[in-house]
Amino acid sequence: MNPLLSQLQPYPFERLRQLFAGVTPPEGVRPISLGMGEPRHPTPAFIKDAFTDSLSGLASYPATAGDPALRKACAAWIQRRYGLALDAATQVLPINGSREALFAFAQTIIDPTRAGATVVCPNPFYQIYEGAALLSGATPYYAPSDPARNFAVDWDSVPEDVWQRTQLLFVCSPGNPTGAVMPLPEWEKLFALSDRHGFVIASDECYSEIYFQGEPPLGGLEAAAKLGRADFRNLMAFTSLSKRSNVPGLRSGFVAGDAKLIQAFLLYRTYHGSAMGPAVQGASIAAWNDEQHVDDNRALYRRKFEEVTPLLASVMDVALPDAGFYLWARVPDALGLTDAEFARELLAQYNVTVLPGSYLAREAGGFNPGAQRIRMALVAEAEECVKAARRIVQFIQSHP
């Protein structure tokens, strides 16, 4: 067996299952889960229709590079969303969801024969970053988020000798679980570090279309263009239809950026067997070409956050995030509970599931930046999210 597999830590939801072992929620209280970030709004009918209309393609092997029509649809969306003109043939590549591609990209980039191969990622973070680093033969380095700056990542805390060893940097903006969006000056800082040390930046942007006020979140490619980096050197942006279009089961997205990285990634994926099925491609083309359903989806999330956030803010340290569909709340100190204890007692007493923040982070520099936080995914219907929030308020107010 690959010895690197032994370095993988249990996935957060496996840890949650173990935490809840032996817990019996109260009878007659309907369960509400805010634990998993799985979109639950209905999939638009036109996307399902496009899927079934494309079933005739099942008789042929799909190309790893994807149908040119899909790549053009992705490039056209980038043009509309960010005002950028990309070459669909060389700067865009379909992927089977951002999770699969983020993992595979690390295997493409990392050279484990170089001493001290390092992957830098935010902390807390999406767990695939860590697994991708470990199984590529690299060592993860965790850059902490700063609560004083709305949980922006403290890139300045990363030592120079770590940057010198870094081959890949994972950026998540809007962030999971914090919802923080990275502003242009921080992109400028990371691009300068990339130029100095030669590492590649993988920008995870799967929450980019769920925002609540003002301008849409700045994207990595958009930031590069604003800073005169029209070739997007050493930059790859990852995006997905899962959250944008409520199709997590479709497993569809795309990467875009540096043409040299696209070429190398396509080579890897050709051998990896990552071609997207024709029905998925047909549905994806329809989804990328339509914005009305995205506007409607965003309005549903906006309503939920407007109703839920004030309720929880009355008893917890929590605020509207920059973007995304998570609330990142602090467990009140007066309760005397850890984040894991809070989650377990909340389930036992009120049948509401939340995810302990410490499960989404690693202890680094003597502390876990996710500790004493909980992540709540507002993915259910508005009424259900409000009901869950009221139960949480009652739980906190009634706790001795």
Side-chain angles (χ1 to χ4, degrees):
M1 300 293 290
N2 184 341
L4 297 176
L5 287 169
S6 64
Q7 298 183 34
L8 298 179
Q9 299 201 33
Y11 210 65
F13 300 110
E14 171 58 24
R15 295 182 65 186
L16 196 65
R17 187 188 66 80
Q18 295 173 8
L19 175 69
F20 291 163
V23 173
T24 303
E27 291 186 15
V29 179
R30 185 168 177 267
I32 302 177
S33 178
L34 306 180
M36 184 174 289
E38 179 181 60
R40 283 191 259 162
H41 295 168
T43 299
F46 78 91
I47 296 178
K48 293 189 282 188
D49 290 343
F51 183 92
T52 57
D53 289 345
S54 302
L55 291 176
S56 60
L58 294 178
S60 302
Y61 282 114
T64 304
D67 190 290
L70 174 56
R71 295 175 79 153
K72 288 178 181 177
C74 296
W77 179 78
I78 292 176
Q79 175 74 61
R80 294 194 306 273
R81 172 64 168 81
Y82 298 110
L84 304 175
L86 270 64
D87 184 341
T90 63
Q91 293 180 301
V92 175
L93 183 64
I95 55 174
N96 297 319
S98 55
R99 175 174 178 164
E100 173 269 332
L102 288 162
F103 179 86
F105 189 63
Q107 318 314 307
T108 304
I109 296 301
I110 298 301
D111 177 1
T113 67
R114 286 171 50 192
T118 299
V119 173
V120 174
C121 68
N123 193 23
F125 61 96
Y126 181 42
Q127 305 295 287
I128 295 302
Y129 307 155
E130 179 185 67
L134 292 171
L135 287 177
S136 70
T139 299
Y141 183 91
Y142 308 103
S145 298
D146 183 0
R149 295 192 301 127
N150 195 28
F151 296 99
V153 180
D154 185 6
W155 303 114
D156 291 334
S157 70
V158 180
E160 182 68 14
D161 66 306
V162 172
W163 288 125
Q164 290 173 357
R165 300 192 303 270
T166 298
Q167 297 185 27
L168 178 63
L169 165 65
F170 282 114
V171 171
C172 187
S173 180
N176 173 9
T178 68
V181 172
M182 212 162 72
L184 189 61
E186 295 205 19
W187 278 109
E188 187 172 23
K189 178 186 300 183
L190 295 182
F191 290 146
L193 286 165
S194 172
D195 288 345
R196 189 183 315 149
H197 301 294
F199 60 76
V200 170
I201 300 175
S203 181
D204 181 357
E205 302 175 10
C206 69
Y207 296 94
S208 69
E209 303 314 291
I210 302 174
Y211 54 93
F212 314 107
Q213 53 194 354
E215 294 296 315
L218 178 70
L221 300 181
E222 182 184 18
K226 287 178 180 292
L227 295 168
R229 304 171 67 87
D231 59 352
F232 310 118
R233 60 187 176 277
N234 280 337
L235 174 64
M236 188 82 90
F238 295 70
T239 193
S240 165
L241 288 172
S242 294
K243 282 80 176 176
R244 173 188 181 273
S245 299
N246 295 306
V247 286
L250 193 65
R251 310 312 307 134
S252 178
F254 70 86
V255 295
D258 187 332
K260 291 181 180 179
L261 296 178
I262 292 285
Q263 184 178 29
F265 197 31
L266 175 58
L267 175 63
Y268 178 90
R269 294 174 67 75
T270 299
Y271 279 84
H272 188 54
S274 301
M276 182 184 291
V280 174
Q281 293 196 54
S284 300
I285 292 171
W288 288 120
N289 283 337
D290 182 82
E291 289 298 323
Q292 184 57 56
H293 77 286
V294 184
D295 292 340
D296 296 342
N297 187 48
R298 191 180 300 121
L300 292 174
Y301 282 113
R302 183 180 296 115
R303 175 192 167 195
K304 285 188 280 189
F305 275 85
E306 287 175 348
E307 295 186 22
V308 169
T309 307
L311 285 171
L312 293 175
S314 68
V315 294
M316 307 180 78
D317 175 10
V318 64
L320 188 72
D322 292 338
F325 53 44
Y326 301 114
L327 283 175
W328 185 238
R330 181 170 177 81
V331 175
D333 294 336
L335 298 183
L337 300 173
T338 67
D339 54 309
E341 290 168 343
F342 181 97
R344 184 178 169 89
E345 289 199 23
L346 179 64
L347 179 70
Q349 296 180 35
Y350 289 90
N351 212 355
V352 174
T353 300
V354 297
L355 188 63
S358 59
Y359 289 10
L360 296 167
R362 296 288 179 261
E363 183 171 325
F367 76 104
N368 182 318
Q372 297 309 101
R373 293 273 168 180
I374 58 168
R375 192 190 77 175
M376 294 174 279
L378 301 192
V379 291
E381 293 299 322
E383 292 74 16
E384 194 166 271
C385 289
V386 170
K387 186 178 294 185
R390 288 175 175 155
R391 291 185 193 177
I392 293 171
V393 171
Q394 187 176 358
F395 169 68
I396 292 173
Q397 290 178 336
S398 64
H399 199 278

